[in-house]
Amino acid sequence: GDSTIESVAKLKPAFVKPHGTHTAANSSFLTDGAAATLIMSESKAKELGYKPWAYLRDWSFKACDPFEELLLGPTYCSQEILARNKLQMSDMGVLEIHEAFAGQILANLTAMESQTFADKNFGGKIVGKVDVDKMNTKGGSLALGHPFGATGSRLVSTASRRLQHEGARFALLAACADGGMG
């Protein structure tokens, strides 16, 4: 059946019972899945007769305080990648950001455009406002599910195809991980 505000409000929390806020309605569901992503140099791809879908320019991996900053890895990594490559959030034509929980993605979007967060963590440099019209346009983890071990590959494949189909130059991919990783 269809969900209503009333039926969703009655759902029990999945964590921190009985006072938690993450329920089945606002959490990505675990799904079965498998994926493979081929990553190689452009010359090797051409040698093997493959046409590259996209080019990996840079990456970042961060650990965050699991008590105060759990699942904010996408904000920390996005700031580092954009700064290191002298890019702005507005330069991104494609955004694929893993949504573990609705609260997690909202916290990251808020932190990315917060001057207070930037002052405290990035020397005042705001990550940038995410154009939600460019984010997860084919569905994110809240809609598609979260197959552990395959979500990253799904993000890469989706972003690569979107770059081609939408004629965009840059994509930013981000995912959080349990324990405060990102």
Side-chain angles (χ1 to χ4, degrees):
D2 292 333
S3 296
T4 65
I5 292 173
E6 293 77 22
S7 66
V8 169
K10 292 178 186 176
L11 293 173
K12 297 197 181 325
F15 308 104
V16 194
K17 298 173 185 179
H19 306 293
T21 58
H22 294 298
T23 69
N26 61 17
S27 302
S28 61
F29 52 99
L30 297 179
T31 58
D32 289 335
T37 302
L38 297 176
I39 298 176
M40 64 188 78
S41 68
E42 181 180 23
S43 60
K44 185 66 171 178
K46 288 181 178 178
E47 176 188 323
L48 295 172
Y50 296 132
K51 179 184 177 205
W53 285 8
Y55 294 89
L56 177 63
R57 285 184 160 230
D58 204 348
W59 66 90
S60 176
F61 186 83
K62 298 282 182 214
C64 304
D65 181 334
F67 297 102
E68 297 297 324
E69 300 177 324
L70 182 65
L71 306 180
L72 284 178
T75 298
Y76 284 97
C77 292
S78 295
Q79 191 278 339
E80 181 178 15
I81 292 297
L82 294 172
R84 195 163 52 214
N85 289 279
K86 297 178 178 46
L87 294 168
Q88 306 290 322
M89 188 63 78
S90 58
D91 294 322
M92 299 301 111
V94 169
L95 295 153
E96 289 292 330
I97 305 175
H98 168 54
E99 310 153 330
F101 308 98
Q104 168 267 327
I105 192 67
L106 293 172
N108 275 282
L109 296 178
T110 299
M112 286 180 184
E113 62 180 276
S114 166
Q115 187 63 58
T116 302
F117 193 85
D119 290 343
K120 180 181 173 190
N121 298 288
F122 306 135
K125 177 74 170 124
I126 293 174
V127 177
K129 182 170 177 56
V130 169
D131 183 345
V132 294
D133 290 332
K134 296 178 181 177
M135 186 180 91
N136 301 346
T137 61
K138 303 297 183 191
S141 299
L142 288 170
L144 302 173
H146 178 24
F148 274 25
T151 293
S153 188
R154 181 189 62 76
L155 293 171
V156 169
S157 296
T158 302
S160 299
R161 287 310 228 185
R162 285 186 57 205
L163 282 169
Q164 293 175 7
H165 294 160
E166 298 171 23
R169 182 171 182 200
F170 296 115
L172 180 67
L173 288 70
C176 61
D178 189 21
M181 301 297 179

